[in-house]
Amino acid sequence: MNDLTIAGIASLPWIISPIVTAIRVSHSQTLDDESNDPPQDPPLVSVVIPARDEARNIERCVRSVLTSTYPKLEVLVVDDHSSDGTGDIARSIATGDARLNVIDNADLPDGWFGKQWACLNGANASHGEIICFADADTTQSSDLITRSVNAILRRGADLFSVAGRQELGSFWERLVQPQIFSIMLVRYGGTESVTDSLRVTDKIANGQCLFVKRDVYELFGGHALVKSHVADDMMMAQRFFARGKKVVLEKGVEQLSTRMYTSLSELVHGWGKNVFAGGRDSVPMGWVGQIFFPFFLLLAPLISLVPPIVLLSSLFVTLPNSVFLWAAISSLALLVWWVFAYRTAEESPLYALLSPLGAAVVFYIFLRALVRGRRVAWKGREYSHSSTQDQA
């Protein structure tokens, strides 16, 4: 075989993987296809918003939920010992809308993550037949709840979540967030890949907007089911499915948007708390998969990083022709993928040229998370994450 043939064969993973991922994602179902007319005799929906030091986000989030056209709605903000006036902001909104109630979260007991504890207490104070847990950094459209309820009823979902649009406000968000979500798309595929899979470890949910039927939620003990798991949404989806309940994920980029992190520091700390401690729970093959998980975690960003590094090194050292051609073909395939990804996200495709820098930052985030292991720090609290082997 000549050098070009060898390079072409070696480049196949970089060429085929984006194509397969795009095909899997294209089969996703979307809330756009669900009815925006409320069902007859609509069930009461309780929206629970756990909030700890969310003064930056809470007003936008709460007001967006209150624009809902769904006819039977209550909203509960759980102020989790905020020190920045989060609760005061929410209470000022509540004076003008009787659907909104603000409660103070009880002290955090041992063995619980803060978000799960706040969600449980919010659910206990609510009355809805369906409970929607919404993160404080999200914005909902007026039709999100109606379309979601119709999807739940139509598809018989016990747990239903919406994959929305990620807002990218800063330079670093535009570099890092697409890298992270691209890795997730390669791993899980589109919404129907998740919904239709028969493997527990293929189940995920988006905790930014997650609906559960109250009777099933209470039957399983509410968030006590996942009280010590950093990726509580993914673990709840897995636990529901393992117990014979239907878990459904739908796309809703027109109905839900989230700005998770606003700076490089927030990206590093925010993703760092999730990717290792939570990612281990999504690995197939049990303890064998968990042993090899650190290797695969670091391999994910290296796949995007190594070809351009090798190509750049050719300016300084002489490479075998097959290696140079492999690096050139693989780098071109990556560039095409990132141009497509940024155009799809309605961002400048010029960011595709900087994708190796984004991959390098993601590699650092992942490596840092591996060093921390199960230790998780977030919003002034230290936790120890449980694995699937610790709890069943």
Side-chain angles (χ1 to χ4, degrees):
M1 290 189 293
N2 60 34
D3 291 336
L4 181 59
T5 301
I6 294 173
I9 293 173
S11 301
L12 285 178
W14 283 265
I15 298 171
I16 295 175
S17 180
I19 296 173
V20 172
T21 300
I23 292 173
R24 295 175 75 199
V25 171
S26 69
H27 295 151
S28 295
Q29 290 208 18
T30 172
L31 284 180
D32 293 340
D33 296 327
E34 305 292 348
S35 173
N36 191 30
D37 295 323
Q40 291 186 347
D41 192 21
L44 174 65
V45 173
S46 300
V47 179
V48 175
I49 306 172
R52 178 173 171 84
D53 293 335
E54 292 285 358
R56 181 177 70 192
N57 299 311
I58 193 64
E59 181 169 4
R60 186 179 75 151
C61 174
V62 170
R63 291 196 183 280
S64 74
V65 176
L66 293 174
T67 66
S68 176
T69 56
Y70 189 76
K72 295 179 68 175
L73 180 70
E74 67 171 0
V75 184
L76 297 93
V77 172
V78 185
D79 182 18
D80 187 14
H81 302 274
S82 299
S83 59
D84 63 352
T86 296
D88 294 334
I89 296 171
R91 288 184 182 88
S92 68
I93 301 172
T95 60
D97 197 316
R99 295 174 297 172
L100 175 61
N101 185 28
V102 182
I103 63 175
D104 293 319
N105 201 23
D107 291 339
L108 184 67
D110 292 339
W112 281 79
F113 274 73
K115 178 183 176 181
Q116 287 91 305
W117 180 240
C119 285
L120 177 71
N121 290 321
N124 288 342
S126 70
H127 305 90
E129 298 171 55
I130 295 175
I131 307 170
C132 170
F133 298 101
D135 282 359
D137 56 5
T138 60
T139 303
Q140 297 186 5
S141 68
S142 60
D143 60 338
L144 180 144
I145 294 175
T146 301
R147 292 182 187 274
S148 295
V149 170
N150 283 325
I152 291 168
L153 298 177
R154 180 179 67 84
R155 305 188 71 173
D158 299 292
L159 183 150
F160 177 86
S161 64
V162 179
R165 177 175 62 88
Q166 297 298 319
E167 300 175 24
L168 307 176
S170 67
F171 171 80
W172 291 110
E173 288 172 86
R174 291 184 171 93
L175 286 191
V176 174
Q177 294 288 65
Q179 294 279 339
I180 298 282
F181 286 102
S182 176
I183 291 171
M184 294 176 65
L185 289 175
V186 171
R187 165 62 181 90
Y188 293 104
T191 64
E192 297 314 289
S193 299
V194 173
T195 299
D196 294 340
S197 176
L198 300 180
R199 291 197 308 183
V200 171
T201 51
D202 288 340
K203 297 299 179 181
I204 57 171
N206 181 17
Q208 297 165 353
C209 183
L210 188 151
F211 294 80
V212 293
K213 291 180 177 176
R214 175 181 291 277
D215 56 349
V216 179
Y217 177 79
E218 292 181 343
L219 176 66
F220 294 157
H223 271 78
L225 187 68
V226 294
K227 65 180 182 180
S228 55
H229 289 270
V230 62
D232 59 294
D233 46 5
M234 179 188 70
M235 186 51 55
M236 185 169 286
Q238 293 185 6
R239 293 277 167 84
F240 270 52
F241 181 73
R243 287 161 171 78
K245 300 304 178 181
K246 187 166 185 181
V247 175
V248 175
L249 176 68
E250 283 198 13
K251 197 174 172 184
V253 295
E254 299 298 326
Q255 290 80 24
L256 177 73
S257 66
T258 310
R259 188 173 183 188
M260 298 175 65
Y261 311 117
T262 62
S263 66
L264 179 59
S265 176
E266 287 187 7
L267 286 161
V268 170
H269 289 89
W271 282 118
K273 72 179 172 63
N274 286 330
V275 291
F276 175 70
R280 291 175 78 245
D281 294 331
S282 68
V283 179
M285 298 186 298
W287 64 269
V288 176
Q290 293 196 357
I291 289 175
F292 288 99
F293 173 67
F295 166 75
F296 289 113
L297 183 65
L298 294 180
L299 181 63
L302 285 176
I303 288 173
S304 293
L305 189 57
V306 170
I309 288 178
V310 173
L311 188 62
L312 182 64
S313 71
S314 67
L315 298 175
F316 308 99
V317 297
T318 302
L319 299 174
N321 284 340
S322 58
V323 174
F324 172 80
L325 289 170
W326 163 79
I329 295 170
S330 299
S331 296
L332 179 60
L334 287 168
L335 182 62
V336 171
W337 164 254
W338 288 117
V339 167
F340 170 77
Y342 278 106
R343 288 181 65 89
T344 301
E346 299 181 352
E347 297 287 345
S348 171
L350 292 177
Y351 280 101
L353 298 172
L354 297 176
S355 59
L357 177 59
V361 174
V362 171
F363 179 82
Y364 169 75
I365 293 172
F366 287 5
L367 183 62
R368 187 175 182 271
L370 287 177
V371 172
R372 288 193 64 89
R374 294 189 187 184
R375 294 177 295 115
V376 177
W378 190 242
K379 294 194 174 182
R381 288 171 171 162
E382 293 278 345
Y383 305 101
S384 178
H385 166 82
S386 293
S387 74
T388 52
Q389 295 179 343
D390 299 328
Q391 298 180 17

